[in-house]
Amino acid sequence: MWRKPRLQLLERVCCVSVGRVVELQHMQESSMGGHLHNSSGMPPFFLTGLPGLETSQHWVFLLLGPLYTISIVGNALILFIVKEEQSLHQPMYYFLSLLSTNDLGVSFSTLPTVLVTYCFHLRKISFDTCMAQMFFIHFFSFMESGILLAMSFDLLTDSHVVCMGLCVLIRSFCMIFPLPFLLKRLPFCKPNILSHAYCLHPDLIRLPCGDITINNIFGLFIVISTFGLDSALILLSYVLIMRSVLAIASREEQLKTLNTCVSHICAVLIFYVPMVSVSMAARYGRHAPEYMHTFLSLIYLFVPPMLNPVIYSIKTKEIQTLMASFGTNVSSITSFILTGFPEMEDLEHWLAAFLLLLYAISIVGNALILFIIKEEQSLHQPMYYFLSLLSVNDLGVSFSTLPTVLAALCFHAPETAFDACLSQMFFIHFFSWTESGILLAMSFDRYVAICNPLRYSTVLTDIRVAHMGISIIIRSFCMVFPLPFLLKRLPFCKTNVLIHSYCLHPDLIRLPCGDTTINSMYGLSIVISAFGVDSVLILLSYVLILRSVLAIASQEERLKTLNTCVSHICAVLIFYVPMVSVSMVHRFGKHAPEYVHKFMSLIYLFVPPMLNPIIYSIKTKEIRKRLWKMFLGPKL
């Protein structure tokens, strides 16, 4: 009796399953028919991080972020040292500069998609963008092989170095240029999911359903004619080197001669070993787990750019000496004298009391904001997470200036050590850059909440907020990190008296008697790329918000919607207006009285940390209620 209904149920399931299969086949056929020819309508690719570790992707970027930082800062330092030091203007170091430039290219060619994949979970990439990224990744790989081959030569003139560099560049371009076009002619009808967070040719070549014979033949040809030939010539050069070294009678001289090759040998090994491993895995390890391919490609693309500057810094005596000079003060000045308000000695104790009151308001106010958001479950939302970041940052601003202000104004101990001053300068500007990034993130939060309210919870997840915070911190660190080293290389032979009771870069940059062109250019570039870009994007977000608000029919609803942005607008104004004023006074008001510079910098560093918690306490209903409950009792 029970078999008949069960058989009927099984029959229905089979019919539904067969129907679903037929439907999927029709969808696939129509998809294939629509994609037989690549055009501007080609569907995008989807990048993946580490398969099987989807829930830990943010931890993966916490590893990759420092690798990027080490690679970029290390190679930039190598370029800077070779440029500045006349004794390094030799063929060997010109090739090292080419290698560092190439390694920067490798890092920057993968950074955008790695950042959006691991931090923001934005995995979609257009076909043409993917082709462009693939071109640059492989172009720089072929370039590195050619540069390592060129570095195996010696006794070259400057003109020979230029010619060899151009030949390596032209060869790499000619080899890689056809790859995107050979791929673009093929029909992509398989799943368009890539197995990395960037576009590689071995990954892309598996997706077309057309004849890929030409692609395979061309790929094999350029690998053999480039990597194969280069590695064979490098090996031959070392066979000849070994023959010459063994002809030297003295064992000590043999070791000394071989020691000059150690850096290059290490660079060759850390490039070719991962590259060969990736190639072997792609050709013979197709049944290996996906994460193996991903890890091998990460080693291939991340390890050489990171280790090359480290190896050459350790093994090259001239670079080692110059790097060591960055850690020592080259001037006779070992400390700075921080000033309070010398024009107002009679009022200095009142000024100190006033500043301490501002510190108390800032520290207590921001600590209260953090406590309320932690305790109040209803505030565990993206908007308040960003507010927590802002409060932590404002506490950082306050604590970074407090020690020297307290010492200079209250205890009349204005002297601070050279390194301590540079450390304080780093933290003050680091927190300033971080605040700009947080305000930009908060404007994005308001944009999504008003312009795409239905997607708010899916776009701004807790993980994405954490990734945005980490990205802001990494960006600020990378921008501010070179400032102390760029200052430390200069001779400070002018006065050691600073015009503030804390150390600021605009104040310190006026004291060296050396050439500060690089410092000024770098300072201007990071101001434009951080504050300039952030302020423009914040303005753009409010243009889009205003457009959405004006589309609302009800005047009452418009005002209610705009009211949610008032706190953020105030925070933006009290940060950017003093910051712009300080910059304008510094650049165009050099003949203005010193007290003008002092008061402007005080407003810039003291007002935002003090007013931000007050503004958000007044304008945020939930925080206001909690404060009333804390201080005036539950009945109120």
Side-chain angles (χ1 to χ4, degrees), residues 318-495:
E318 292 83 357
I319 293 177
Q320 203 172 15
T321 304
L322 289 165
M323 291 285 279
S325 70
F326 280 101
T328 55
N329 184 14
V330 297
S331 67
S332 58
I333 292 177
T334 58
S335 64
F336 293 103
I337 305 298
L338 304 172
T339 57
F341 293 87
E343 308 89 352
M344 304 179 182
E345 289 86 352
D346 297 336
L347 301 173
E348 201 165 72
H349 56 287
W350 294 106
L351 286 168
F354 175 68
L355 292 180
L356 288 175
L357 177 63
L358 297 186
Y359 274 122
I361 295 170
S362 301
I363 293 168
V364 172
N366 285 293
L368 272 174
I369 292 288
L370 288 170
F371 175 76
I372 291 169
I373 291 173
K374 178 182 178 293
E375 293 296 313
E376 192 66 37
Q377 289 294 321
S378 62
L379 300 182
H380 293 182
Q381 301 173 29
M383 172 183 171
Y384 299 106
Y385 293 148
F386 287 127
L387 178 56
S388 300
L389 280 175
L390 186 65
S391 293
V392 170
N393 191 78
D394 285 340
L395 285 172
V397 173
S398 297
F399 284 118
S400 62
T401 57
L402 179 60
T404 52
V405 170
L406 201 64
L409 296 179
C410 295
F411 301 107
H412 301 289
E415 190 172 1
T416 183
F418 190 93
D419 290 331
C421 189
L422 292 185
S423 298
Q424 185 183 48
M425 179 203 71
F426 170 84
F427 283 109
I428 290 173
H429 292 291
F430 168 77
F431 287 119
S432 294
W433 260 258
T434 304
E435 183 141 350
S436 179
I438 293 168
L439 291 172
L440 174 60
M442 293 174 86
S443 71
F444 178 69
D445 169 85
R446 292 298 83 209
Y447 164 75
V448 177
I450 293 170
C451 300
N452 294 287
L454 298 177
R455 297 184 60 201
Y456 184 79
S457 59
T458 57
V459 172
L460 283 167
T461 60
D462 292 354
I463 293 295
R464 192 159 290 168
V465 170
H467 289 168
M468 290 171 74
I470 291 166
S471 300
I472 290 165
I473 291 168
I474 290 171
R475 185 193 74 162
S476 302
F477 179 84
C478 291
M479 286 186 166
V480 182
F481 183 73
L483 285 180
F485 299 99
L486 288 173
L487 276 170
K488 204 162 187 179
R489 72 189 175 89
L490 296 170
F492 281 77
C493 48
K494 296 180 183 178
T495 177

Side-chain angles (χ1 to χ4, degrees), residues 56-226:
S56 306
Q57 302 282 31
H58 54 289
W59 295 111
V60 176
F61 188 77
L62 282 179
L63 171 66
L64 298 183
L67 296 186
Y68 273 121
T69 305
I70 294 167
S71 300
I72 293 167
V73 172
N75 286 294
L77 272 175
I78 292 290
L79 287 171
F80 173 76
I81 290 169
V82 173
K83 177 184 177 295
E84 289 296 305
E85 188 59 35
Q86 290 293 322
S87 63
L88 301 183
H89 292 183
Q90 302 172 28
M92 173 184 170
Y93 299 105
Y94 293 147
F95 284 129
L96 179 56
S97 298
L98 278 175
L99 186 65
S100 293
T101 304
N102 191 79
D103 285 339
L104 286 172
V106 173
S107 297
F108 284 118
S109 61
T110 59
L111 179 60
T113 54
V114 169
L115 189 66
V116 297
T117 301
Y118 286 107
C119 285
F120 305 113
H121 299 287
L122 302 174
R123 305 184 183 280
K124 188 163 70 172
I125 182 173
S126 69
F127 185 87
D128 290 331
T129 305
C130 191
M131 291 295 108
Q133 186 183 47
M134 180 201 72
F135 170 83
F136 283 110
I137 290 174
H138 292 292
F139 169 76
F140 288 119
S141 293
F142 279 67
M143 276 284 292
E144 184 137 351
S145 179
I147 293 166
L148 290 172
L149 173 61
M151 291 176 81
S152 63
F153 288 87
D154 205 351
L155 302 174
L156 299 168
T157 63
D158 291 355
S159 59
H160 287 155
V161 172
V162 173
C163 290
M164 291 176 74
L166 287 173
C167 289
V168 170
L169 181 72
I170 293 167
R171 185 194 70 165
S172 302
F173 180 84
C174 293
M175 291 285 190
I176 303 298
F177 186 71
L179 282 182
F181 299 99
L182 287 173
L183 277 170
K184 204 163 186 177
R185 71 189 176 84
L186 296 170
F188 281 77
C189 48
K190 294 180 183 179
N192 54 346
I193 299 172
L194 302 176
S195 56
H196 303 291
Y198 32 78
C199 300
L200 294 177
H201 186 263
D203 201 10
L204 285 162
I205 200 65
R206 297 185 297 175
L207 302 184
C209 51
D211 183 10
I212 59 171
T213 306
I214 294 173
N215 298 64
N216 285 332
I217 291 171
F218 183 74
L220 186 62
F221 165 73
I222 60 174
V223 165
I224 293 171
S225 61
T226 306

